[in-house]
Amino acid sequence: MVFLNVLLDQLGLPVPAVPTLVIAGALAADHKLPAAPLYALAVAACVLGDSAWYLAGRIYGGRVMNLLCRISLTPDWCVSQTQASFERWARRP
């Protein structure tokens, strides 16, 4: 449950992971859940979700940014911030 919840949160779905993590942490503190595997599952879900976004950006960069900026609450700000970041951090040919 923790892995799936954190993964869906990291992929960008509107699923809050914090309440699940707080409850799981409380259960781990009461020794009802093992803390180390719980931590490992949460970290693995974060790494997997972030890797998926990284690969999507690496392969489909512009299309992913266009989609994200279209569904953003402030599309103009999204486009200008993205452009500024690319100009600042992009590799030079």
Side-chain angles (χ1 to χ4, degrees), residues 58 80-93:
R58 185 88 172 145
S80 65
Q81 287 298 108
T82 303
Q83 182 178 2
S85 294
F86 277 123
E87 288 172 357
R88 183 175 180 188
W89 299 106
R91 287 189 285 179
R92 305 286 185 236

Side-chain angles (χ1 to χ4, degrees), residues 43-65:
V43 170
C46 286
V47 169
L48 188 61
D50 289 346
S51 296
W53 277 113
Y54 172 78
L55 289 174
R58 185 88 172 145
I59 296 169
Y60 306 107
R63 288 183 273 181
V64 171
M65 286 310 303

Side-chain angles (χ1 to χ4, degrees), residues 2 20-39:
V2 170
T20 304
L21 290 171
V22 168
I23 291 169
L27 290 172
D30 284 343
H31 303 290
K32 294 180 181 172
L33 283 177
L38 188 65
Y39 177 76

Side-chain angles (χ1 to χ4, degrees), residues 1-25:
M1 174 105 178
V2 170
F3 178 82
L4 184 62
N5 190 255
V6 172
L7 179 63
L8 292 176
D9 180 61
Q10 288 297 108
L11 290 175
L13 294 176
V15 178
V18 174
T20 304
L21 290 171
V22 168
I23 291 169

